Amino acid sequence: MPYWRLSGVYFSYFAVVGAFSPYWSLYLQALNFSAQQIGVLSAVPLLTKLLAPNLWSWFADATGQRLTVIRYGSFGACLFFVGLLFLYDYSSLIVLLALYSIFWNAVLPQFEAITLTYLQDKAHEYSKIRVWGSIGFIVTVLLLGVFFEYFSIQWLPHFILLFLIGIFIFACLLPPEDRQLEPSRMADFLKIMMGKYVLIFYFVLFLLQFSHGVYYVFYSIYLESYGYSKTLIGVLWTIGVVSEIYIFIKMPEIFSRFSRFQLLSWSLFLTALRWCLMALFASSAPIIVFAQLLHAFSFGVMHAVAIDFIKTTFGESSHGQAQAFYAAVTFGGGASLGAFVSGLLWQSSPQLTFLVAAGAAFFSWLLAIVFLKMRL
């Protein structure tokens, strides 16, 4: 198993996320875009997840060339992101972000599937590789937070491009998969998808990521409005990811002690609590720190549960398609809609926007309690 090369892709991929998530909205704010425009520009990369991952996964599953898809995707993402270093008007950013994201969305679903293929019967070791993505996120958030205290945030696209190049390099260093997968049959994938509890499970994840929309887009702007420095904002993002790293390391032990349903229900409830705390107690640093620690559940546990669900529910040849659908429904449909709605609500009331997010998470918890208790 090429442990360090797999880890290098995760590190670089989530370094890109670590540059985007905390600082992209601040970068757009520095370019004098309105809250609604920031919401739209932040939603564009997420919106492409509705279709792009499924198209790439259909090609990868049909041909068995997952690694080739990752390499083409990472190269195309680099190519189109270069334009963001030179163009700053609203229309150009929409077009370039859409093109960049179409290729960017080729990478993670196929890479998750490839990682599971390399692991074979050691899937419980997944978290030990995925943790390097969290480390990449942390390193990026902290270093850029300090950097932007002294230098212009308009350097942000240059750093993102550097990390994108890192993904491409590590992907090119990966060896071919040991065996060729049989092409998946779409009919088999759809038959599993049409199972009632499978659709409900994905809808619960959709609502969960909808609730994260305001966090992805406006969390840094929100904290800055309360007087938090960029360095402290970076530290708060890091606290969330440190809790995520801890939970990834502990997931094999946690899975042995708790059912998927228990982990799902607790995570959804604590996510709703997290957004309520942010809405009502943003001026209290200790409470905001505690809310960030809940990221261990709202993302870390939930993602591990979703990956485990996909692995045990879908056949190996359909893993890529199932991962792509997961990305499309949650990070595509859910997060992009959440980002767009938060852009509409933000100027009237940031606190209300976080409470709407809490309501979505709470509703997803109710759905899980009613429909999934005996299914997971």
Side-chain angles (χ1 to χ4, degrees), residues 43-118:
V44 166
L46 300 171
L47 195 60
T48 59
K49 288 182 182 290
L50 285 170
L51 185 59
N54 290 292
L55 291 176
W56 285 110
S57 290
W58 171 82
F59 176 79
D61 286 347
T63 62
Q65 299 296 315
R66 290 174 178 167
L67 188 55
T68 300
V69 167
I70 293 170
R71 289 168 177 168
Y72 279 133
S74 56
F75 178 78
C78 292
L79 186 65
F80 285 107
F81 198 86
V82 169
L84 294 172
L85 274 58
F86 308 103
L87 299 173
Y88 308 102
D89 62 283
Y90 185 59
S91 299
S92 296
L93 285 181
I94 288 178
V95 172
L96 287 171
L97 283 169
L99 292 171
Y100 147 76
S101 300
I102 287 171
F103 284 89
W104 163 255
N105 286 323
V107 176
L108 190 59
Q110 302 314 310
F111 189 69
E112 296 272 40
I114 274 186
T115 301
L116 291 173
T117 300
Y118 280 124

Side-chain angles (χ1 to χ4, degrees), residues 319-342:
H319 280 171
Q321 191 67 48
Q323 290 283 0
F325 192 78
Y326 168 53
V329 168
T330 59
F331 302 104
S336 63
L337 183 60
F340 179 73
V341 171
S342 65

Side-chain angles (χ1 to χ4, degrees), residues 158-216:
H158 297 79
F159 286 105
I160 294 174
L161 179 61
L162 180 65
F163 301 137
L164 288 171
I165 294 170
I167 298 172
F168 177 69
I169 291 173
F170 279 112
C172 289
L173 293 175
L174 281 171
E177 294 178 80
D178 290 338
R179 53 198 171 89
Q180 188 77 11
L181 292 175
E182 293 183 6
S184 67
R185 290 172 46 187
M186 182 60 70
D188 294 338
F189 170 75
L190 292 177
K191 183 179 179 180
I192 297 171
M193 276 302 308
M194 289 303 105
K196 183 179 179 181
Y197 77 97
V198 178
L199 289 175
I200 292 174
F201 181 79
Y202 274 109
F203 185 59
V204 165
L205 296 179
F206 170 88
L207 290 174
L208 176 71
Q209 283 304 314
F210 173 88
S211 79
H212 280 72
V214 61
Y215 175 69
Y216 293 144

Side-chain angles (χ1 to χ4, degrees), residues 146-279:
V146 174
F147 182 87
F148 293 139
E149 289 290 342
Y150 301 98
F151 302 97
S152 172
I153 200 167
Q154 294 197 20
W155 281 99
L156 179 65
H158 297 79
F159 286 105
I160 294 174
L161 179 61
L162 180 65
F163 301 137
L164 288 171
I165 294 170
I167 298 172
F168 177 69
I169 291 173
F170 279 112
C172 289
L173 293 175
L174 281 171
E177 294 178 80
D178 290 338
R179 53 198 171 89
Q180 188 77 11
L181 292 175
E182 293 183 6
S184 67
R185 290 172 46 187
M186 182 60 70
D188 294 338
F189 170 75
L190 292 177
K191 183 179 179 180
I192 297 171
M193 276 302 308
M194 289 303 105
K196 183 179 179 181
Y197 77 97
V198 178
L199 289 175
I200 292 174
F201 181 79
Y202 274 109
F203 185 59
V204 165
L205 296 179
F206 170 88
L207 290 174
L208 176 71
Q209 283 304 314
F210 173 88
S211 79
H212 280 72
V214 61
Y215 175 69
Y216 293 144
V217 179
F218 289 108
Y219 182 63
S220 295
I221 291 175
Y222 186 52
L223 294 181
E224 193 174 54
S225 71
Y226 278 89
Y228 292 82
S229 68
K230 288 184 177 65
T231 300
L232 185 53
I233 290 171
V235 169
L236 287 167
W237 279 91
T238 300
I239 288 171
V241 181
V242 168
S243 69
E244 172 190 315
I245 289 177
Y246 178 79
I247 215 72
F248 276 137
I249 293 172
K250 290 291 185 179
M251 278 313 297
E253 178 184 342
I254 292 171
F255 270 129
S256 70
R257 297 182 60 186
F258 301 97
S259 70
R260 279 197 307 223
F261 173 74
Q262 289 174 315
L263 296 174
L264 176 76
S265 59
W266 272 107
S267 297
L268 294 171
F269 182 81
L270 291 173
T271 300
L273 173 63
R274 183 186 183 192
W275 305 143
C276 286
L277 293 176
M278 289 186 180

